[in-house]
Amino acid sequence: MTTHFRVIFTTCADVSEARSMAEQLVKMKLAACVNILPNIESVYMWQGDVSYATECKLIIKTKSEKMNEVFQTIKQLHSYDVPEIQVIDVATGNLAYFNWMDEVLN
């Protein structure tokens, strides 16, 4: 069973930015739900150096047709020069949850 739902990941610098972005995505009906995982440790290369940061991970649940709007909203609201935006196709899951997502995102 292939669905038309997607999970989008991004990170934010802090909980305040994460909450603000999550709220905007939900209010704009671009996301049915956004989970915020605070205090994740990130290790990454930036401008030739290994960098360390404590960030928040956002897990954004949406429909495939709303992905471009989600991307644009993340880029507009984000404090990072190059925000993480990664997408996972949802292959299957709880039909009742998908029905709820359809209802919320219409």
Side-chain angles (χ1 to χ4, degrees), residues 1-95:
M1 170 183 156
T2 302
T3 73
H4 61 280
F5 299 102
R6 304 293 180 263
V7 174
I8 301 173
F9 293 102
T10 193
T11 51
C12 291
D14 56 43
V15 173
S16 177
E17 181 178 38
R19 285 182 180 152
S20 177
M21 189 176 301
E23 183 177 331
Q24 285 300 311
L25 290 167
V26 171
K27 280 184 176 180
M28 295 170 68
K29 294 191 173 205
L30 297 177
C33 176
V34 179
N35 301 116
I36 301 171
L37 285 65
N39 300 318
I40 63 166
E41 187 75 19
S42 297
V43 181
Y44 55 95
M45 291 297 293
W46 184 249
Q47 299 179 339
D49 293 320
V50 175
S51 296
Y52 302 86
T54 300
E55 301 177 293
C56 295
K57 175 72 82 178
L58 273 66
I59 304 171
I60 303 160
K61 287 82 162 238
T62 192
K63 292 175 152 183
S64 58
E65 60 264 23
K66 295 186 179 271
M67 280 193 325
N68 288 336
E69 288 179 88
V70 173
F71 292 178
Q72 292 308 313
T73 302
I74 290 170
K75 289 175 184 178
Q76 288 172 358
L77 298 175
H78 218 289
S79 63
Y80 294 171
D81 293 336
V82 183
E84 169 195 1
I85 301 174
Q86 297 182 20
V87 179
I88 296 176
D89 294 341
V90 177
T92 190
N94 181 355
L95 184 58

